[in-house]
Amino acid sequence: MEKLLLGTLLLIVLSEGATQSDMRGNVFIFPEESATAYVSLIPRVRKPLRNFTLCLKAFTDLTRTYSLFSYSTKVKDNELLLFVKKVGEYILYIGNTGVTFKAPPSSFAPIHVCASWESDSGIAELWVDGKPVGRKGVRKGYSVEAEAKIILGQEQDSFGGRFDAKQSLVGEIWDVSLWDHVLSRKEMCASCYSGNLLNWQSLTYESNGYVVTKPKVWA
């Protein structure tokens, strides 16, 4: 009976256009600048967040602004946003308020980025390629809303839309995971795709526009 219910739920998800897949060893490729290509992620659980850790890996040769992770609600378009302003300069938004982190420009290689935040202290941390690049305060006491659209490849200027091609990602992204707590540095390195809210090895998603899934070529 439990297997039947599980199968029914899976069919409902698939009928709505979403796919559930073990994405280990694969990447989403955004081959060209666009305002129509993106991937919607569906979390395993929807809940308000008073703590979180977000980790992902990406490769691009862009020097302009682009979005790495866009989590938008009906009230705040930048409820949780990880945004690259220029090479080596990252902005983390919580509840439409952003803090900027500057990291040494990396070589022509993928980046591994982890961002964490805790409500009680308001402290946000950013790690790039396993190294801390700062701790700053933002939105102390705040709670990130649960009902959100989660988008890769574009930055939402409204709930689920109003994309700007000049803020789109052109490149590859993989190992995207989201936890409802702050990870230690060791956990960030060892658990790159095993988030309890978004989990790369059991990812539910929907691709839109010109997005290609391929095996990764980067370690």
Side-chain angles (χ1 to χ4, degrees):
M1 183 65 178
E2 290 180 356
K3 290 183 179 179
L4 179 60
L5 288 172
L6 181 61
T8 301
L9 289 172
L10 181 60
L11 285 174
I12 290 171
V13 170
L14 293 177
S15 68
E16 293 175 348
T19 299
Q20 187 176 47
S21 178
D22 184 345
M23 289 291 291
R24 285 177 294 180
N26 291 306
V27 304
F28 291 126
I29 303 174
F30 300 91
E32 63 184 19
E33 187 171 283
S34 166
T36 57
Y38 63 96
V39 175
S40 297
L41 304 183
I42 301 170
R44 298 155 70 93
V45 178
R46 293 188 185 274
K47 58 185 293 188
L49 298 177
R50 290 186 60 82
N51 306 280
F52 72 80
T53 304
L54 167 68
C55 288
L56 57 86
K57 296 177 183 177
F59 174 79
T60 181
D61 59 4
L62 292 174
T63 56
R64 61 161 171 79
T65 61
Y66 62 92
S67 173
L68 284 171
F69 184 90
S70 177
Y71 178 116
S72 176
T73 66
K74 292 180 180 179
V75 178
K76 294 182 175 68
D77 54 341
N78 295 333
E79 183 73 1
L80 195 176
L81 173 67
L82 183 57
F83 193 75
V84 179
K85 186 174 182 180
K86 59 183 179 181
V87 176
E89 187 169 326
Y90 301 83
I91 306 177
L92 178 66
Y93 287 88
I94 306 291
N96 276 7
T97 301
V99 285
T100 299
F101 298 88
K102 295 183 179 180
S106 59
S107 59
F108 192 72
I111 54 171
H112 177 204
V113 182
C114 286
S116 69
W117 171 80
E118 58 182 22
S119 177
D120 285 350
S121 67
I123 293 298
E125 299 186 34
L126 191 75
W127 301 70
V128 178
D129 296 332
K131 297 178 181 179
V133 295
R135 291 185 283 191
K136 297 187 177 181
V138 59
R139 282 294 201 170
K140 181 180 178 181
Y142 187 71
S143 181
V144 173
E145 293 295 326
E147 296 302 318
K149 296 284 188 181
I150 304 175
I151 300 274
L152 301 179
Q154 301 286 346
E155 193 271 315
Q156 302 173 76
D157 285 329
S158 65
F159 187 61
R162 284 186 61 199
F163 303 139
D164 180 348
K166 295 300 181 181
Q167 295 178 334
S168 65
L169 172 64
V170 181
E172 308 178 21
I173 192 166
W174 66 98
D175 286 359
V176 180
S177 277
L178 180 66
W179 293 260
D180 63 359
H181 54 276
V182 175
L183 298 183
S184 68
R185 179 181 179 182
K186 182 178 179 181
E187 289 173 317
M188 287 181 189
C189 296
S191 305
C192 296
Y193 47 69
S194 59
N196 64 329
L197 300 181
L198 293 172
N199 188 322
W200 197 250
Q201 62 186 342
S202 181
L203 189 71
T204 303
Y205 66 92
E206 182 178 355
S207 295
N208 298 268
Y210 188 19
V211 181
V212 180
T213 301
K214 287 283 189 181
K216 67 178 183 180
V217 296
W218 305 100

